Amino acid sequence: IRESGNFVRVNCSAIPPELMEAEFFGEKGNSHDSPSKDGQPGRFALANHGSLFIDEVNLLSSTIQPKLLRVLQEQALDAPDSGSSTPIDVRLMAASALPLEQLVQAGQFRADLFYRLDVIRIVAPPLREHLEDLPELTEELVARLNRQLGLSVEGVTEEVIHMFCLLYTSD
């Protein structure tokens, strides 16, 4: 059932802190900021029976972290400005460019939320650590862009691949 559900993405770095709660949990209607009289559903509601991907989860504010934890623990979503809650079924995936363990130790990220999120960990090494994959990745990207843009670019030269490698090793 989840595979036919929505895949909803949210990038925390693109959301101002004052809008984060409404973004995740929705807003009640009839306010001057609401786009409709019925309000706006949050990302959790949109991802119900599907998946929610939170990018840059390390940027969640200290006021949003306990609310996110509650949704994960209760598997329910409180309606904005209401005492009622609705059961939800969401697969949550989260990504962070910073090690969350260090943020927990520094007191910048809740330990209990970290342990809820840290079920299956996938570590993607930076491209500079596996430059041998760069020609294949470049070929795939060119093929994808050809399909999307209706182009027929044949590929890139070895010189371009070498220049890419220099870019990634100059750090």
Side-chain angles (χ1 to χ4, degrees):
I1 189 170
R2 194 182 313 277
E3 66 190 34
S4 62
N6 290 334
F7 181 82
V8 178
R9 297 182 268 303
V10 60
N11 185 338
C12 294
S13 67
I15 303 170
E18 63 273 7
L19 298 180
M20 203 165 284
E21 185 170 354
E23 190 72 28
F24 279 104
F25 307 112
E27 348 179 68
K28 184 179 179 182
N30 295 327
S31 75
H32 68 283
D33 294 325
S34 181
S36 74
K37 66 180 180 181
D38 298 325
Q40 186 74 6
R43 299 291 177 108
F44 272 103
L46 294 172
N48 197 17
H49 302 295
S51 301
L52 176 62
F53 175 66
I54 303 175
D55 197 8
E56 299 295 345
V57 70
N58 54 292
L59 297 176
L60 287 175
S61 70
S62 59
T63 57
I64 295 298
Q65 289 181 32
K67 294 174 182 182
L68 176 61
L69 179 63
R70 183 165 190 272
V71 170
L72 294 176
Q73 288 174 332
E74 304 293 326
Q75 295 181 343
L77 188 60
D78 292 337
D81 300 332
S82 145
S84 65
S85 63
T86 306
I88 60 164
D89 176 24
V90 174
R91 175 189 305 144
L92 183 68
M93 296 168 280
S96 173
L98 301 175
L100 291 179
E101 299 97 329
Q102 292 177 6
L103 296 176
V104 168
Q105 291 172 354
Q108 298 172 338
F109 199 86
R110 290 179 63 112
D112 47 1
L113 178 57
F114 168 72
Y115 290 114
R116 282 277 180 187
L117 295 174
D118 192 34
V119 176
I120 298 174
R121 187 181 302 193
I122 300 171
V123 178
L127 185 56
R128 68 179 166 273
E129 292 180 11
H130 56 104
L131 288 175
E132 66 276 4
D133 294 338
L134 194 55
E136 187 177 342
L137 290 169
T138 303
E139 186 178 305
E140 173 59 33
L141 182 59
V142 168
R144 185 181 306 167
L145 288 171
N146 278 338
R147 284 190 305 274
Q148 290 175 351
L149 301 174
L151 300 174
S152 58
V153 175
E154 293 182 21
V156 297
T157 64
E158 289 294 323
E159 182 182 4
V160 171
I161 297 293
H162 179 69
M163 291 167 69
F164 286 162
C165 289
L166 289 175
L167 284 172
Y168 282 106
T169 56
S170 66
D171 291 342

